[in-house]
């Protein structure tokens, strides 16, 4: 068994399948705090101790044991696909990363050259046509996912169902899948079910948005970024995300899900 993208508390109270751009920084910090009574000093993605991660060799055995035994509350978190792909664009394509550089080195220059995308810079206050550039980015994202060119799809804009399915296919089961848009309610339900060493009320937790402030602010409402072609591309890329996680494809401005996630349906359709 292999469980990429999986984090677990050292107390083995919670197992979390990370889905990028879905409050993963905050969730990781809550897991860390539930064991240690404090938050990790820095970006939780950089933590090499205090939290089991599948990317750490010594974490493989305990994660696999707990997942097989189904002895911990196992969960993940999803987000409206329209808002998620916009967030990926503004953070990863337009933004300056924590190391002071552009994301993935030559990716942005490649996009400027091949897709005619503009991203602006801190020097010009990120002054560019956000709508036109985003729509071109979406075409690029589709190309990476559909044809794996000009590069492999990136975890930040590949479909949530793809991330979530690897855990099921390799033998895991989810107890809860909640919505970023109803974060407090969903995360508190996980904590209420888990046997954590430290009690925590989600309403007291600061938001750890590690990407905030590194790039331009979104200047328009969500629907203005998506014309007919963009909506067609969204359905092509994220059809299963809209269907399984109950988001409203017809109204990009409605960020909330239209129903609860059906866990049996998710396991049946993503476990093949």
């Amino acid at each position: 068994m292999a469980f990429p993208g999986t984090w677990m508390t050292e107390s083995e109270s919670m197992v979390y399948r990370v889905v990028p751009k879905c409050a993963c920084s905050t969730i990781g910090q809550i897991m860390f705090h539930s064991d240690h009574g404090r938050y990790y000093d820095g970006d939780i993605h950089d933590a090499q101790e205090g939290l089991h991660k599948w990317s750490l060799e010594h974490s493989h055995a305990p994660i696999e044991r707990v997942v097989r035994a189904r002895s911990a509350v196992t969960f993940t978190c999803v987000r409206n696909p329209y808002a998620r792909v916009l967030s990926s664009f503004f953070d990863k394509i337009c933004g300056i990363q924590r190391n002071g550089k552009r994301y993935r080195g030559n990716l942005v220059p490649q996009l400027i050259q091949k897709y005619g995308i503009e991203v602006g810079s801190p020097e010009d206050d990120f002054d560019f046509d956000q709508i036109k550039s985003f729509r071109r980015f979406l075409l690029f994202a589709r190309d990476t996912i559909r044809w794996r060119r000009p590069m492999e799809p990136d975890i930040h804009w590949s479909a949530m169902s793809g991330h979530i399915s690897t855990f099921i296919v390799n033998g895991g089961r989810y107890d809860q899948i909640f919505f970023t848009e109803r974060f407090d309610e969903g995360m508190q339900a996980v904590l209420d079910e888990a046997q954590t060493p430290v009690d925590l009320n989600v309403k007291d937790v600061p938001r750890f948005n590690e990407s905030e402030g590194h790039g331009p602010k979104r200047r328009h409402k969500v629907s203005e970024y998506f014309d007919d072609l963009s909506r067609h591309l969204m359905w092509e890329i994220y059809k299963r995300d809209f269907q399984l996680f109950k988001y409203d494809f017809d109204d990009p401005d409605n960020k909330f899900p239209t129903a609860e996630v059906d866990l049996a349906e998710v396991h049946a359709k993503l476990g093949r």
Side-chain angles (χ1 to χ4, degrees):
M1 282 194 199
F3 299 103
T6 300
W7 294 353
M8 180 175 76
T9 51
E10 290 185 331
S11 63
E12 302 181 1
S13 61
M14 287 183 271
V15 173
Y16 165 50
R17 202 317 177 182
V18 177
V19 180
K21 308 306 295 178
C22 298
C24 47
S25 295
T26 300
I27 292 170
Q29 288 281 11
I30 287 172
M31 292 172 72
F32 190 93
H33 191 287
S34 76
D35 267 358
H36 307 292
R38 60 182 175 84
Y39 297 111
Y40 177 74
D41 185 12
D43 185 340
I44 193 67
H45 292 84
D46 298 334
Q48 301 289 301
E49 56 186 11
L51 191 65
H52 283 301
K53 298 178 176 181
W54 189 260
S55 59
L56 304 172
E57 193 72 34
H58 70 269
S59 294
H60 286 192
I63 288 175
E64 190 168 334
R65 173 174 47 76
V66 169
V67 171
R68 277 181 186 273
R70 300 200 62 197
S71 55
V73 180
T74 302
F75 71 98
T76 192
C77 179
V78 293
R79 182 180 184 181
N80 184 296
Y82 286 116
R84 180 171 176 261
V85 75
L86 274 170
S87 176
S88 296
F89 171 69
F90 283 112
D91 173 19
K92 298 302 174 189
I93 305 303
C94 305
I96 307 299
Q97 304 308 299
R98 293 194 314 274
N99 61 9
K101 299 176 181 175
R102 292 285 184 181
Y103 182 57
R104 294 180 67 155
N106 67 349
L107 171 62
V108 172
Q110 191 178 2
L111 285 177
I112 291 169
Q113 181 188 2
K114 292 190 174 180
Y115 288 83
I117 288 174
E118 299 175 324
V119 295
S121 69
E123 290 72 38
D124 64 12
D125 199 25
F126 296 103
D127 182 21
F128 66 100
D129 187 330
Q130 292 187 353
I131 291 173
K132 183 169 80 172
S133 281
F134 169 73
R135 290 174 182 172
R136 292 180 177 190
F137 161 73
L138 192 59
L139 192 60
F140 159 75
R142 189 281 306 266
D143 290 349
T144 66
I145 289 164
R146 186 75 184 273
W147 292 294
R148 296 183 150 7
R149 66 170 193 255
M151 58 177 270
E152 291 287 310
D154 185 273
I155 60 170
H156 296 91
W157 57 79
S158 52
M160 296 181 291
S161 51
H163 293 290
I164 287 168
S165 69
T166 59
F167 188 80
I168 301 170
V169 168
N170 291 333
R173 300 283 295 179
Y174 293 101
D175 299 305
Q176 299 188 36
I177 297 177
F178 65 88
F179 307 109
T180 306
E181 295 80 11
R182 295 179 181 145
F183 182 83
D184 286 7
E185 175 188 329
M187 189 71 231
Q188 193 64 56
V190 171
L191 289 169
D192 289 347
E193 192 180 336
Q195 301 293 313
T196 59
V198 178
D199 286 335
L200 191 63
N201 187 324
V202 176
K203 290 194 181 342
D204 299 331
V205 176
R207 287 294 177 263
F208 295 89
N209 186 351
E210 299 297 346
S211 62
E212 194 170 34
H214 301 302
K217 293 271 187 263
R218 178 160 60 82
R219 291 187 184 139
H220 311 278
K221 66 179 185 176
V222 171
S223 59
E224 291 179 31
Y225 291 90
F226 297 93
D227 60 2
D228 285 347
L229 175 60
S230 304
R231 300 265 303 281
H232 174 82
L233 294 175
M234 287 295 292
W235 190 247
E236 184 179 341
I237 303 169
Y238 302 117
K239 177 181 177 181
R240 281 206 301 183
D241 287 358
F242 282 108
Q243 292 176 328
L244 283 176
F245 308 124
K246 314 301 182 185
Y247 284 104
D248 186 349
F249 174 73
D250 296 319
D251 182 5
D253 289 322
N254 176 21
K255 69 178 183 178
F256 291 104
T258 57
E260 291 302 310
V261 174
D262 182 336
L263 285 173
E265 180 188 22
V266 169
H267 286 107
K269 292 188 173 171
L270 297 185
R272 294 170 184 161

